[in-house]
């Protein structure tokens, strides 16, 4: 069986590729663990200057693995080791670049939004569709969307579950760079080459400074959003939402 995470390192760059193409690279716990451990190793490795994340196949990632969420309760969500993995992924000191092709949804979008630079293919598809499952994002997606897009646009994605193209994500300031379809990784690699040559201490300090201005003030909201996600795990609506997804039909929600 091939690895869920393919990694390669060389010339200052660490490249991790999500590799579950049969499930649109859905981030199950094993993959999230492998990714957070790989990021931690790269962060501690003095020969690495930049981390790049992308997907194999046609897509970046279609979210957390819905099959794992199906039976998870509020108590299990509160205790979930995934929180530790997300925290590790989001606290890397070195610059992280995401290269996005295809679907970039749910937890996949949260992963891309956590990167420092994000190159989106014009026809990529970004969104937080959790509302359709009777859920909200679990790793800060709505905090970061609201912070970057403002209320009006964030509400479109949060309440209506709208998806936006990579070109729109760039126009709206959600991602830092755009690329033609199929060119996201190539573009991201050329950005990485620049960062590899830049002064490492100044790069780390620049990243930390920007995050102080943008991420630190989100902390209360991130905790609040996580708790709200955990409460929804035990709702009937979540069960209906996930059952409907699996049965490929529209859900009927009751507010319970
Ligand atoms: N988890 C598990 N499996 C997934 C998945 C996911 N997030 N997304 C897709 N898959 C699987 C599908 O079940 C399907 O498997 P089978 O072939 O065994 O049926 C396979 O990947 C291909 O998917 P589709 O047949 O649905 O492909 P499509 O091209 O018709 O649709 C899609 C693509 C619009 C992305 C659709 O798959 C979809 O809506 N996926 C779910 C997106 C989503 O809701 N993401 C949020 C998850 S919750 C989350 O991320 C919150 C959190 O942080 C905890």
């Amino acid at each position: 069986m091939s690895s869920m995470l393919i990694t390669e390192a060389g010339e200052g760059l660490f490249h991790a590729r999500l590799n579950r193409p049969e499930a649109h690279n859905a981030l199950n716990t094993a993959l999230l663990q492998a990714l957070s451990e790989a990021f931690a190793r790269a962060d501690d490795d003095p020969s690495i200057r930049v981390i790049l994340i992308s997907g194999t196949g046609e897509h970046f990632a279609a979210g957390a693995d819905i099959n794992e969420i199906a039976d998870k309760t509020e108590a299990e969500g509160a205790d979930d080791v995934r929180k530790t993995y997300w925290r590790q992924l989001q606290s890397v000191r070195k610059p992280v670049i995401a290269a996005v092709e295809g679907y970039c949804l749910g937890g996949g979008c949260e992963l891309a939004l956590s990167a420092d630079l994000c190159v989106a293919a014009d026809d990529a598809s970004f969104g937080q569709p959790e509302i359709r499952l009777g859920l909200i994002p679990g790793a800060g997606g709505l905090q970061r969307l609201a912070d970057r897009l403002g209320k009006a646009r964030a509400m479109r994605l949060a309440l209506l579950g709208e998806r936006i193209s990579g070109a729109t994500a760039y126009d709206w300031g959600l991602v830092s760079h755009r690329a033609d379809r199929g060119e996201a990784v190539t573009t991201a690699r050329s950005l990485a080459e620049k960062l590899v040559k830049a002064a490492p201490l100044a790069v780390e300090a620049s990243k930390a400074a920007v995050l102080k201005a943008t991420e630190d003030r989100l902390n209360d909201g991130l905790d609040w959003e996580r708790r709200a996600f955990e409460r929804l795990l035990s709702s009937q609506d979540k069960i209906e939402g996930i059952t409907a997804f699996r049965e490929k039909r529209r859900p009927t929600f009751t507010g319970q």
Side-chain angles (χ1 to χ4, degrees), residues 39-189:
F39 272 31
R41 276 195 305 277
D43 212 23
D44 287 341
D45 180 342
S47 72
I48 301 294
R49 299 278 177 83
V50 188
I51 297 170
L52 172 58
I53 169 91
S54 64
T56 60
E58 290 173 41
H59 305 290
F60 184 70
D65 192 308
I66 290 172
N67 297 311
E68 284 187 353
I69 305 173
D71 298 322
K72 204 171 276 182
T73 62
E74 177 178 359
E76 287 163 346
D79 247 2
D80 202 332
V81 68
R82 291 177 68 91
K83 290 201 273 193
T84 310
Y85 300 145
W86 273 111
R87 213 172 299 120
Q88 277 170 5
L89 281 172
Q90 291 167 338
S91 58
V92 168
R93 299 180 306 276
K94 289 174 184 168
V96 178
I97 308 176
V100 175
E101 301 277 350
Y103 288 121
C104 182
L105 303 175
C109 188
E110 292 176 295
L111 182 59
L113 295 183
S114 301
D116 305 305
L117 297 171
C118 180
V119 182
D122 280 343
D123 68 346
S125 180
F126 287 76
Q128 298 288 165
E130 287 87 344
I131 191 117
R132 294 165 193 230
L133 302 171
L135 279 170
I136 65 170
L142 297 186
Q143 298 303 299
R144 294 192 175 91
L145 277 186
D147 185 58
R148 301 199 193 160
L149 299 182
K151 179 177 171 183
R153 285 170 169 167
M155 286 294 185
R156 285 174 57 174
L157 275 71
L159 293 182
L160 302 174
E162 279 185 23
R163 300 201 295 246
I164 57 171
S165 69
T168 301
Y170 177 76
D171 289 343
W172 286 6
L174 191 62
V175 301
S176 60
H177 295 78
R178 62 190 287 182
D180 290 338
R181 178 184 194 173
E183 293 298 319
V185 169
T186 307
T187 306
R189 279 184 170 268

